[in-house]
Amino acid sequence: MERISHRELRNSSGEILRRVQEGHMFEITNNGVPVAQLVPVYRNSRQLNIAIPAKSDAPLETIKRATLPEGVSAVAQLIAERDAERDK
């Protein structure tokens, strides 16, 4: 995830939003302190918006495991719900 300042976002918003649309993710800082993340929006409401780097040279054991926010179903549960809806 690329880190940019709020000033850079303000001055280059069109270019940055184009890159987000292409799949890039940005961490926005204010006075050097991270305050937000700018990530692509998925049009399919069933698809979870979890930021996962496309490529990492880090050893697998050092990559943090993703956790779901409270109230968000696990993927297996979403699949089971989808299948149940299809069987109706």
Side-chain angles (χ1 to χ4, degrees):
M1 185 175 302
E2 187 175 338
R3 184 179 273 197
I4 60 172
S5 69
H6 76 280
R7 181 173 294 165
E8 184 176 353
L9 175 61
R10 182 189 67 216
N11 293 341
S12 304
S13 61
E15 171 65 17
I16 291 168
L17 289 175
R18 182 189 60 73
R19 290 183 62 201
V20 169
Q21 189 174 17
E22 293 173 351
H24 294 269
M25 296 177 283
F26 294 89
E27 181 177 69
I28 313 301
T29 63
N30 190 23
N31 294 321
V33 177
V35 295
Q37 292 180 346
L38 188 57
V39 298
V41 171
Y42 295 98
R43 300 200 191 289
N44 182 345
S45 62
R46 287 284 201 183
Q47 190 172 3
L48 298 176
N49 191 3
I50 300 174
I52 301 172
K55 179 181 176 188
S56 176
D57 294 330
L60 186 58
E61 60 272 3
T62 64
I63 299 174
K64 290 184 179 179
R65 184 179 188 94
T67 56
L68 297 174
E70 187 176 324
V72 174
S73 299
V75 173
Q77 184 178 346
L78 290 172
I79 292 170
E81 290 171 5
R82 181 202 62 197
D83 292 346
E85 287 177 22
R86 284 185 182 169
D87 293 339
K88 287 182 182 179

